[in-house]
Amino acid sequence: MLVLSRKKNESIMIGDTIEIKIISIDGEQIRLGIEAPRNLEVYRKEIFDAIQEENRLATSGQADWSTIKQLLRTSEGPKDDL
């Protein structure tokens, strides 16, 4: 794992097209801005993990359809709120 220190308004680049910028710092909480190509999906880790688990369950025939519906509703929100 690469660990970097950044201050407000500083950023890091991932490859040529992904920029992660520190927008604000408030106590232990930070706000990140992510500039990435539109064709690249960006998720919060807990949402990504839930999607992966639902995909695993769906392929095993044990999917919980109410959970899938909730995930779809959640993923339809604005991308900048992720």
Side-chain angles (χ1 to χ4, degrees):
M1 174 187 299
L2 173 64
V3 178
L4 300 171
S5 297
R6 299 279 75 201
K7 296 178 182 175
K8 184 178 175 181
N9 294 321
E10 293 182 336
S11 59
I12 63 169
M13 293 296 298
I14 300 174
D16 294 332
T17 59
I18 302 170
E19 179 180 7
I20 300 176
K21 185 174 184 176
I22 306 300
I23 303 299
S24 66
I25 304 169
D26 185 18
E28 292 187 15
Q29 187 174 27
I30 63 170
R31 292 186 69 205
L32 298 174
I34 301 170
E35 288 282 337
R38 284 218 171 265
N39 64 333
L40 185 67
E41 295 175 338
V42 179
Y43 297 105
R44 294 186 312 256
K45 176 73 163 99
E46 63 273 18
I47 298 297
F48 178 81
D49 289 343
I51 291 169
Q52 294 300 311
E53 178 63 13
E54 287 302 321
N55 287 342
R56 187 189 67 74
L57 290 173
T59 60
S60 69
Q62 301 173 14
D64 174 1
W65 292 107
S66 63
T67 304
I68 292 171
K69 288 178 187 176
Q70 180 61 37
L71 282 172
L72 290 173
R73 271 190 239 109
T74 303
S75 68
E76 291 173 356
K79 284 202 171 214
D80 62 347
D81 191 34
L82 299 177

